[in-house]
Amino acid sequence: MMLREGLANRILLWAVTIAGLLVIYAPPLYLLAISFNPALQPGLPSLSQLSLKWYASLPQETALIGALEQSLIIATVTAVLATLMSLLAALAYFELRSRRTAWFLTVILPMFVPGVIQGLALSAVFARAGVKASMLTVIAGHLLWAMPFAFIVILTSFAAVRRSYLVAAADLGADWWHRFFDIIFPLIRPGLISAFIFSFLLSLNEFTRAFYLAGRQNTLPVVLFGKMNSGASPVIYAMSGAIFLISVLCVALIALRFLWQARIEDSAQRSG
């Protein structure tokens, strides 16, 4: 009886999981599929209709390419700043003995502010201060959005850091910098890489804040939104499909690297 109940629970769990994955991945996979349709009207192509026509047209779309370059620069700068600032915030949280909860809530508070309100508020503040909308204003808005997520990711990686390691190193004469670079940094390095990737993707896909804060050169999500509403050619589906494929490939390579590194470390521990 218990075996049957366990089997039924596993089947139900797998069914719910598969249904959830289908809901999550069906829209981008559908978008990827219609990007291979050579027709002007979006729709699922048959195997005989598969074509790279719209992908071949991407280099001629100067507006999309320019917006993509702008987004990549903004996302990279945002990811670097968010990772560094979140690391400092996580170190402060790690060193705090009291008021940890207050510090934690202060750092993650921007996560709960709607993007429309945050973008509009930042736009009003910058306009009042005489700061023109530009790449820097977009980075400021994206940084405010990405940093709480990066902070949580890095803070989670601090679970591997035990105070006994730091106390032992201090007893042996290691100063704070040596304790950080020799003990803390190697243990939280996966968290730093994950925080960087997370911040990069959040910035690359952010639309609401960029809509209020972008200057003359809009980011890719803003340009795609405008072209979608104006009835642009299916090249926008090819651009979206290319970004989706590159993102999946990058995540897969990073995951394989972590798995390979973990396997090497596990083998080293067993042989030791």
Side-chain angles (χ1 to χ4, degrees):
M1 185 66 179
M2 293 181 62
L3 291 175
R4 291 182 179 178
E5 290 181 357
L7 179 61
N9 291 334
R10 285 196 296 271
I11 293 175
L12 178 61
L13 180 62
W14 276 106
V16 172
T17 302
I18 293 173
L21 291 175
L22 287 176
V23 171
I24 293 172
Y25 288 105
L29 289 176
Y30 174 78
L31 186 65
L32 179 64
I34 65 176
S35 68
F36 295 104
N37 189 346
L40 288 175
Q41 296 298 326
L44 290 176
S46 62
L47 292 177
S48 60
Q49 292 177 327
L50 293 178
S51 171
L52 297 176
K53 173 183 177 181
W54 305 119
Y55 287 91
S57 302
L58 280 177
Q60 285 74 45
E61 295 289 331
T62 55
L64 285 177
I65 298 300
L68 176 60
E69 293 175 352
Q70 181 90 343
S71 292
L72 290 175
I73 295 173
I74 291 173
T76 302
V77 176
T78 300
V80 171
L81 293 177
T83 303
L84 291 176
M85 294 177 65
S86 299
L87 173 60
L88 296 176
L91 287 170
Y93 179 89
F94 185 75
E95 295 294 336
L96 284 174
R97 295 293 183 272
S98 60
R99 301 180 181 177
R100 274 188 167 188
T101 303
W103 177 247
F104 179 82
L105 294 176
T106 301
V107 177
I108 69 168
L109 180 61
M111 182 190 301
F112 302 100
V113 179
V116 174
I117 296 176
Q118 200 172 75
L120 183 60
L122 287 173
S123 177
V125 170
F126 287 139
R128 185 71 176 177
V131 179
K132 294 183 179 180
S134 64
M135 182 187 298
L136 295 179
T137 57
V138 178
I139 291 173
H142 286 191
L143 180 60
L144 198 61
W145 165 240
M147 183 179 167
F149 294 94
F151 170 70
I152 292 176
V153 172
I154 295 175
L155 195 61
T156 303
S157 67
F158 266 82
V161 181
R162 303 202 175 185
R163 294 192 181 274
S164 58
Y165 301 161
L166 305 179
V167 172
D171 291 340
L172 294 174
D175 58 15
W176 188 89
W177 291 105
H178 282 89
R179 294 197 299 270
F180 174 77
F181 285 107
D182 294 338
I183 299 176
I184 297 177
F185 182 75
L187 292 173
I188 67 172
R189 183 166 48 196
L192 294 176
I193 297 174
S194 300
F196 179 89
I197 297 172
F198 204 178
S199 301
F200 182 88
L201 294 177
L202 284 174
S203 176
L204 187 65
N205 297 318
E206 175 56 31
F207 167 78
T208 308
R209 294 163 183 81
F211 181 80
Y212 288 98
L213 300 171
R216 293 182 178 180
Q217 178 61 61
N218 287 320
T219 60
L220 183 62
V222 176
V223 173
L224 287 177
F225 179 78
K227 287 184 174 294
M228 187 72 180
N229 287 338
S230 62
S233 71
V235 175
I236 60 175
Y237 303 124
M239 174 64 79
S240 302
I243 293 176
F244 176 72
L245 288 175
I246 293 173
S247 300
V248 171
L249 179 62
C250 291
V251 172
L253 290 175
I254 293 171
L256 288 174
R257 181 187 177 278
F258 279 125
L259 290 174
W260 179 255
Q261 184 177 358
R263 187 174 181 179
I264 293 176
E265 292 176 354
D266 184 60
S267 299
Q269 290 178 358
R270 289 182 179 180
S271 61

